[in-house]
Structure formats: structure tokens, C-alpha cells
Amino acid sequence: HGGHDPGAIGKSGTREKHITLDIAKRLAALVRERLGCNVIMTRDKDVFIPLEQRPFIAKSKGADLFVSIHVNANRKRKARGIETYIQSLRASDRDAMATAAFENATSTKTLSQLGNELDRILKDLRTDDKQEESLQLAHAVQLSLVGNMKPMKGHVVNLGVKRAFFYVLINTEMPSILAEVGFISNPDEEKQLKKDSYRQTIAESLYQGVKKYVDARSPQMMGI
């Protein structure tokens, strides 16, 4: 999201593109300052970067990790919670399928246009040892998000680690996750997401999850 693409929009008009960019900048600062790692931002201002270009940016810079930050939306205003995804051609459930469909909506490619690429993508997913590493990263981030957000909200819905097909995670060739840090369509969560302190806690939580993974794997660069 970014530029002409606002992403999900909350009931009071809060735009996903502003929330996620702010969180990403906060996370980047933490990683640079505390881990001393180089951070590649796919965007550092309000511009639109095509979904398929984002993993290309990470690969071209030789990144060791790829973290895509989003906030979710649902027609049901009561829907809430935190979930973290890894790439898969098969969605974990209907909700995961719906989330992927929403996130993929701004892609410049259609599934039919990707037809000649799907066989290669499927082969990569079957043989890519990064899938297990992505799963480890996803669990570390999900546990950190849920654990750290509870003191802020009192109650957090843990939607868990899931799988779905995302254009933004196509052929990343590195441990890669997509974090949905809340539902902007939920009035209560939208209100929280508008707070600087809440977004900082999300960034801290993402950082701690990444750090747990980094401590075990020690990559030298990460793409956010």
C-alpha cells in the first residue's frame, strides 16, 4: 500500500498505508540501533510500490529476512486479532484465503498471467528450505506480538500463524513473513492503532520477534 493505494480504511477514516509505514519506520530504527543491521525499506514515504517489486528489492539488495507489515480488515466490525503468515499455495482456512485476496487486490498481475510462473513457484515452495525458516520466524514474531500487546489492551485475540498465497512474498528466496498486526475495521483496534504508543509497542514486539530469530540465525541484513 501507499500512494494511490490507501489499503484498508477504518470507520473513522484511518488509512492502513499510514499506520503500516509508521510502524515500519519505528521497527527499522530499532533494528538499526539495537542489532546494528542494515535495513532495506521497500518504501520510506507515501508512494506506491507494486507488490511484485517489493521482494525483488529485497533480493537485489541481498537481504536475509523479509518482513511485510499490514493491518487487516473484515466486513464484520467485531473481527479482531493478530496473525502472521508464511507463503503457501494452499490457504490455512477461509479467513486466510480472504486476507490474501484482499492483500493481493492491488497486484498488477492476475492469476492467469501468473500461469506460466505457478509451476516454478510450486516447485520452489516444495524444495525451498527457507519455508521452515520462515515458519520459525513467523512463530517468533507471532508470540512476541501477542505477548507484548496484552498489557496494552488487556485482551488480545491470537489468530496464530497461518499460510496463504501472497504476491508480496513471491520468490523472496529468504525467510519471509507477512504480519497482520490488527484489524483497522474494528473500531476499538482502529482507535488503538491511531496511538503513537500503541504503534511503538507493535514495532517493539516485531523487533523482539525478529531478534529472537536473529539470535539463532545471525543474518547480516534484513529487508523490511
Side-chain angles (χ1 to χ4, degrees), residues 1-3 5-6 15-22 24-25 40-49 54 57 69 224:
H1 310 297
D5 173 25
R15 299 188 171 202
E16 177 184 6
K17 68 174 184 176
H18 298 314
I19 298 297
T20 53
L21 178 58
D22 182 75
K25 286 182 175 180
I40 313 307
M41 301 282 289
T42 55
R43 70 180 180 104
D44 58 8
K45 55 187 176 181
D46 187 16
V47 295
F48 177 74
I49 306 295
R54 300 176 203 182
I57 292 172
I69 303 169
I224 297 180

Side-chain angles (χ1 to χ4, degrees), residues 21-162:
L21 178 58
D22 182 75
I23 293 171
K25 286 182 175 180
R26 293 170 187 269
L27 174 58
L30 292 172
V31 171
R32 290 189 182 108
E33 293 169 8
R34 298 181 185 177
L35 290 182
C37 293
N38 187 22
V39 179
I40 313 307
M41 301 282 289
T42 55
R43 70 180 180 104
D44 58 8
K45 55 187 176 181
D46 187 16
V47 295
F48 177 74
I49 306 295
L51 293 176
E52 299 87 352
Q53 189 177 339
R54 300 176 203 182
F56 174 77
I57 292 172
K59 287 191 292 184
S60 67
K61 298 295 184 178
D64 292 290
L65 295 181
F66 185 87
V67 179
S68 189
I69 303 169
H70 299 259
V71 291
N72 217 330
N74 194 297
R75 291 181 179 178
K76 298 178 181 178
R77 294 289 184 183
K78 292 184 178 180
R80 64 193 304 154
I82 296 169
E83 55 193 350
T84 306
Y85 286 87
I86 66 168
Q87 182 75 306
S88 175
L89 289 179
R90 180 173 296 179
S92 299
D93 52 39
R94 288 180 180 272
D95 288 337
M97 191 180 300
T99 297
F102 176 77
E103 299 295 359
N104 292 335
T106 58
S107 174
T108 57
K109 294 185 179 181
T110 64
L111 279 177
S112 61
Q113 290 173 318
L114 277 175
N116 61 345
E117 297 182 39
L118 288 178
D119 286 341
R120 178 171 57 81
I121 293 171
L122 179 59
K123 181 179 179 181
D124 288 344
L125 286 174
R126 285 174 173 169
T127 60
D128 188 2
D129 59 358
K130 301 302 181 185
Q131 283 294 294
E132 180 58 34
E133 293 178 29
S134 294
L135 190 61
Q136 293 172 11
L137 174 60
H139 279 294
V141 167
Q142 179 69 15
L143 286 174
S144 180
L145 281 167
V146 172
N148 284 294
M149 300 314 294
K150 282 183 179 179
M152 293 287 292
K153 296 175 62 177
H155 175 65
V156 173
V157 178
N158 182 0
L159 298 175
V161 172
K162 297 184 178 182

